Amino acid sequence: MTTVTGAKVLERFPAGSPRGSWPAEECAARRRAAGESATVVMDLESDAFLVVVPAEGD
């Protein structure tokens, strides 16, 4: 896991995937169902969708 600008990255999904952001959105939905405040963001530099949660202490 990586910490980026106040958020912890849980998963990475390539933006070039045939399903686009869906895998990331599905992963974030599972995390939210488990009680985490997961969201999906786009990392333009790495061309990937990231599932992130607020970093501890935020």
XYZ file of all heavy atoms in Angstrom:
423
model
N 0.834 -1.175 0.000
C 0.000 0.000 0.000
C 0.878 1.237 0.000
O 1.915 1.266 0.623
C -0.893 0.007 1.231
C -1.954 -1.053 1.201
S -2.980 -0.935 2.649
C -3.039 -2.653 3.068
N 0.398 2.250 -0.665
C 1.128 3.496 -0.808
C 0.313 4.629 -0.211
O -0.908 4.619 -0.306
C 1.368 3.793 -2.311
O 1.977 2.662 -2.893
C 2.221 5.012 -2.492
N 0.967 5.597 0.397
C 0.270 6.776 0.884
C 0.547 7.932 -0.062
O 1.699 8.215 -0.367
C 0.726 7.143 2.308
O 0.472 6.028 3.156
C -0.028 8.350 2.822
N -0.533 8.555 -0.557
C -0.404 9.648 -1.507
C -1.293 10.798 -1.043
O -2.499 10.624 -0.909
C -0.834 9.198 -2.921
C -0.689 10.328 -3.909
C -0.060 7.978 -3.360
N -0.708 11.953 -0.768
C -1.435 13.159 -0.428
C -2.605 12.909 0.527
O -3.751 13.158 0.206
C -1.940 13.863 -1.705
O -0.912 13.894 -2.661
C -2.380 15.269 -1.410
N -2.323 12.344 1.674
C -3.351 12.153 2.679
C -4.267 10.977 2.454
O -5.280 10.867 3.115
N -3.949 10.109 1.511
C -4.786 8.944 1.250
C -3.909 7.708 1.116
O -2.789 7.788 0.624
C -5.595 9.145 -0.018
N -4.439 6.580 1.559
C -3.721 5.319 1.431
C -4.290 4.569 0.225
O -5.495 4.357 0.125
C -3.892 4.480 2.687
C -3.091 3.204 2.649
C -3.189 2.285 3.848
C -3.935 2.758 5.034
N -4.034 1.758 6.103
N -3.428 4.176 -0.706
C -3.845 3.446 -1.903
C -3.963 1.966 -1.545
O -2.999 1.350 -1.103
C -2.839 3.645 -3.059
C -3.254 2.826 -4.280
C -2.707 5.109 -3.418
N -5.162 1.416 -1.753
C -5.406 0.008 -1.453
C -5.223 -0.875 -2.682
O -4.735 -1.991 -2.580
C -6.828 -0.176 -0.908
C -7.172 0.614 0.341
C -8.635 0.404 0.689
C -6.272 0.208 1.499
N -5.675 -0.392 -3.823
C -5.626 -1.168 -5.073
C -5.369 -0.232 -6.243
O -5.726 0.938 -6.207
C -6.957 -1.888 -5.324
C -7.388 -2.841 -4.242
C -6.744 -4.211 -4.347
O -6.208 -4.544 -5.416
O -6.779 -4.933 -3.344
N -4.779 -0.804 -7.304
C -4.549 -0.070 -8.556
C -5.138 -0.877 -9.702
O -4.987 -2.094 -9.749
C -3.056 0.081 -8.839
C -2.319 0.930 -7.862
C -0.818 0.940 -8.193
N -0.114 1.807 -7.284
C 0.027 3.107 -7.460
N -0.461 3.682 -8.526
N 0.657 3.837 -6.565
N -5.797 -0.183 -10.631
C -6.383 -0.825 -11.800
C -5.992 -0.025 -13.031
O -6.185 1.193 -13.057
C -7.908 -0.870 -11.687
C -8.391 -1.699 -10.517
C -8.549 -1.131 -9.263
C -8.655 -3.040 -10.678
C -8.983 -1.885 -8.182
C -9.090 -3.808 -9.605
C -9.255 -3.232 -8.358
N -5.454 -0.677 -14.069
C -5.035 0.056 -15.272
C -6.216 0.744 -15.948
O -7.288 0.149 -16.093
C -4.434 -1.017 -16.184
C -4.675 -2.323 -15.532
C -5.239 -2.105 -14.183
N -6.029 1.989 -16.336
C -7.089 2.748 -16.996
C -7.390 2.196 -18.386
O -8.487 2.378 -18.889
C -6.709 4.218 -17.075
N -6.443 1.504 -18.988
C -6.637 0.959 -20.326
C -7.414 -0.345 -20.351
O -7.602 -0.930 -21.408
N -7.893 -0.784 -19.208
C -8.665 -2.019 -19.125
C -9.927 -1.906 -19.975
O -10.532 -0.837 -20.054
C -9.046 -2.287 -17.662
O -10.033 -3.270 -17.567
N -10.348 -3.006 -20.590
C -11.578 -2.966 -21.398
C -12.807 -2.529 -20.594
O -13.737 -1.968 -21.142
C -11.749 -4.398 -21.884
C -10.401 -5.014 -21.791
C -9.706 -4.305 -20.664
N -12.799 -2.757 -19.291
C -13.936 -2.391 -18.444
C -13.775 -1.014 -17.810
O -14.585 -0.608 -16.997
C -14.134 -3.455 -17.364
C -14.525 -4.799 -17.963
C -14.811 -5.850 -16.923
N -15.910 -5.448 -16.064
C -15.949 -5.670 -14.766
N -14.957 -6.284 -14.158
N -16.987 -5.287 -14.048
N -12.711 -0.298 -18.176
C -12.509 1.048 -17.659
C -12.387 1.080 -16.149
O -11.641 0.297 -15.552
N -13.157 1.954 -15.506
C -13.057 2.124 -14.060
C -13.915 1.132 -13.279
O -13.856 1.099 -12.052
C -13.472 3.547 -13.673
O -14.847 3.741 -13.929
N -14.702 0.311 -13.944
C -15.608 -0.601 -13.240
C -14.928 -1.475 -12.203
O -15.430 -1.598 -11.083
C -16.383 -1.460 -14.216
C -17.408 -0.727 -15.025
C -17.715 0.614 -14.973
C -18.244 -1.288 -16.024
N -18.684 0.909 -15.886
C -19.031 -0.236 -16.556
C -18.396 -2.551 -16.552
C -19.959 -0.440 -17.558
C -19.334 -2.753 -17.551
C -20.104 -1.708 -18.044
N -13.808 -2.131 -12.522
C -13.169 -2.961 -11.482
C -12.799 -2.162 -10.232
O -12.979 -2.643 -9.109
C -11.919 -3.515 -12.171
C -12.230 -3.468 -13.635
C -13.084 -2.240 -13.793
N -12.335 -0.943 -10.427
C -11.989 -0.101 -9.279
C -13.246 0.286 -8.507
O -13.263 0.259 -7.271
C -11.245 1.149 -9.748
N -14.311 0.635 -9.218
C -15.571 1.004 -8.567
C -16.147 -0.178 -7.791
O -16.660 -0.014 -6.684
C -16.582 1.511 -9.598
C -16.175 2.798 -10.286
C -16.176 4.010 -9.372
O -16.630 3.938 -8.218
O -15.694 5.065 -9.824
N -16.059 -1.376 -8.364
C -16.560 -2.573 -7.682
C -15.745 -2.866 -6.428
O -16.300 -3.216 -5.378
C -16.531 -3.768 -8.629
C -17.554 -3.650 -9.745
C -17.343 -4.661 -10.869
O -16.280 -5.325 -10.904
O -18.236 -4.758 -11.723
N -14.444 -2.707 -6.517
C -13.564 -2.920 -5.367
C -13.893 -1.910 -4.269
O -14.011 -2.265 -3.096
C -12.100 -2.801 -5.790
S -10.936 -2.951 -4.436
N -14.064 -0.640 -4.644
C -14.391 0.393 -3.665
C -15.747 0.111 -3.018
O -15.907 0.306 -1.812
C -14.381 1.770 -4.330
N -16.699 -0.378 -3.788
C -18.024 -0.697 -3.240
C -17.923 -1.818 -2.206
O -18.576 -1.760 -1.160
C -18.977 -1.085 -4.363
N -17.099 -2.829 -2.492
C -16.901 -3.917 -1.516
C -16.269 -3.374 -0.237
O -16.650 -3.752 0.870
C -16.026 -5.022 -2.111
C -16.741 -5.892 -3.117
C -15.939 -7.127 -3.481
N -14.617 -6.832 -4.020
C -14.352 -6.568 -5.293
N -15.326 -6.561 -6.191
N -13.118 -6.329 -5.686
N -15.295 -2.487 -0.383
C -14.636 -1.892 0.791
C -15.624 -1.049 1.599
O -15.622 -1.086 2.819
C -13.446 -1.026 0.362
C -12.327 -1.779 -0.305
C -11.506 -2.514 0.720
N -10.339 -3.100 0.090
C -9.218 -3.351 0.722
N -9.092 -3.106 2.000
N -8.207 -3.895 0.082
N -16.479 -0.278 0.890
C -17.479 0.530 1.593
C -18.476 -0.363 2.324
O -18.870 -0.064 3.459
C -18.208 1.462 0.615
C -17.355 2.643 0.185
C -18.162 3.677 -0.573
N -18.699 3.169 -1.822
C -18.057 3.210 -2.984
N -16.849 3.743 -3.068
N -18.630 2.732 -4.060
N -18.868 -1.477 1.707
C -19.792 -2.421 2.352
C -19.165 -3.015 3.617
O -19.879 -3.396 4.545
C -20.182 -3.522 1.373
N -17.836 -3.085 3.641
C -17.117 -3.612 4.808
C -16.831 -2.518 5.846
O -16.165 -2.780 6.838
C -15.808 -4.264 4.366
N -17.315 -1.293 5.587
C -17.170 -0.231 6.574
C -16.047 0.752 6.339
O -15.838 1.660 7.140
N -15.291 0.602 5.254
C -14.213 1.545 4.952
C -14.756 2.664 4.065
O -15.687 2.451 3.297
C -13.071 0.843 4.223
C -12.354 -0.195 5.053
C -11.209 -0.829 4.297
O -10.136 -0.223 4.284
O -11.427 -1.906 3.728
N -14.184 3.839 4.154
C -14.630 4.959 3.317
C -13.780 5.030 2.051
O -13.042 5.989 1.822
C -14.575 6.268 4.099
O -13.258 6.507 4.549
N -13.878 4.008 1.230
C -13.069 3.909 0.009
C -13.681 4.719 -1.127
O -14.898 4.775 -1.285
C -12.945 2.450 -0.417
N -12.806 5.339 -1.902
C -13.216 6.062 -3.102
C -12.261 5.720 -4.234
O -11.189 5.165 -4.014
C -13.209 7.593 -2.881
O -11.897 7.986 -2.497
C -14.204 8.018 -1.829
N -12.662 6.076 -5.438
C -11.831 5.838 -6.618
C -11.336 7.183 -7.141
O -12.114 8.124 -7.264
C -12.627 5.108 -7.720
C -11.793 4.964 -8.993
C -13.094 3.748 -7.224
N -10.044 7.244 -7.417
C -9.450 8.438 -8.023
C -8.634 8.001 -9.236
O -8.210 6.856 -9.334
C -8.556 9.222 -7.032
C -9.381 9.750 -5.877
C -7.424 8.376 -6.526
N -8.432 8.929 -10.140
C -7.634 8.664 -11.332
C -6.247 9.249 -11.146
O -6.100 10.425 -10.809
C -8.301 9.305 -12.551
C -7.525 9.189 -13.829
S -7.496 7.493 -14.392
C -6.465 7.626 -15.816
N -5.223 8.411 -11.327
C -3.840 8.883 -11.291
C -3.397 9.060 -12.736
O -3.132 8.070 -13.432
C -2.954 7.870 -10.562
C -1.496 8.283 -10.520
O -1.173 9.421 -10.925
O -0.673 7.470 -10.083
N -3.371 10.294 -13.193
C -3.033 10.563 -14.590
C -1.599 10.184 -14.921
O -1.312 9.734 -16.033
C -3.281 12.042 -14.915
C -4.739 12.487 -14.819
C -4.832 13.996 -15.035
C -5.601 11.740 -15.810
N -0.703 10.369 -13.964
C 0.713 10.083 -14.212
C 0.942 8.600 -14.521
O 1.696 8.251 -15.416
C 1.548 10.505 -13.012
C 3.038 10.442 -13.277
C 3.829 11.031 -12.127
O 3.560 12.181 -11.753
O 4.722 10.320 -11.626
N 0.276 7.713 -13.768
C 0.469 6.271 -13.988
C -0.642 5.668 -14.845
O -0.623 4.472 -15.127
C 0.539 5.525 -12.652
O -0.714 5.570 -11.987
N -1.610 6.494 -15.267
C -2.729 6.045 -16.089
C -3.440 4.860 -15.429
O -3.608 3.806 -16.021
C -2.259 5.682 -17.499
C -3.418 5.580 -18.483
O -4.429 6.293 -18.290
O -3.329 4.782 -19.436
N -3.840 5.087 -14.158
C -4.494 4.018 -13.402
C -5.578 4.601 -12.505
O -5.516 5.767 -12.104
C -3.473 3.284 -12.546
N -6.586 3.763 -12.232
C -7.602 4.100 -11.241
C -7.133 3.545 -9.912
O -6.709 2.387 -9.837
C -8.964 3.502 -11.615
C -9.546 4.094 -12.857
C -9.531 3.390 -14.042
C -10.109 5.363 -12.835
C -10.074 3.932 -15.195
C -10.650 5.920 -13.983
C -10.624 5.208 -15.169
N -7.200 4.358 -8.860
C -6.745 3.950 -7.537
C -7.920 3.888 -6.589
O -8.770 4.793 -6.584
C -5.732 4.951 -6.999
C -4.569 5.352 -7.895
C -3.714 6.397 -7.217
C -3.746 4.139 -8.296
N -7.985 2.839 -5.799
C -8.956 2.753 -4.709
C -8.216 3.241 -3.474
O -7.188 2.677 -3.101
C -9.474 1.314 -4.511
C -10.433 1.245 -3.337
C -10.130 0.803 -5.782
N -8.729 4.320 -2.866
C -8.044 4.937 -1.740
C -8.977 5.097 -0.547
O -10.199 5.149 -0.691
C -7.472 6.319 -2.127
C -6.474 6.216 -3.261
C -8.571 7.289 -2.501
N -8.370 5.161 0.637
C -9.051 5.497 1.880
C -8.257 6.621 2.523
O -7.056 6.765 2.261
C -9.184 4.288 2.829
C -10.090 3.219 2.241
C -7.837 3.714 3.189
N -8.911 7.422 3.359
C -8.156 8.471 4.058
C -7.025 7.855 4.874
O -7.203 6.793 5.476
C -9.195 9.116 4.974
C -10.514 8.776 4.348
C -10.325 7.441 3.702
N -5.873 8.505 4.865
C -4.731 8.025 5.656
C -5.063 8.150 7.132
O -5.834 9.030 7.530
C -3.472 8.826 5.316
N -4.512 7.276 7.941
C -4.742 7.342 9.374
C -4.285 8.692 9.902
O -3.266 9.210 9.489
C -3.998 6.222 10.080
C -4.557 4.850 9.765
C -3.841 3.735 10.490
O -3.306 3.977 11.565
O -3.836 2.634 9.960
N -5.087 9.241 10.809
C -4.761 10.546 11.353
C -5.425 11.689 10.625
O -5.366 12.819 11.033
N -6.068 11.380 9.474
C -6.781 12.439 8.732
C -8.218 12.517 9.198
O -8.838 11.626 9.604
C -6.774 12.148 7.223
C -5.411 12.426 6.598
O -4.559 12.963 7.313
O -5.239 12.104 5.434
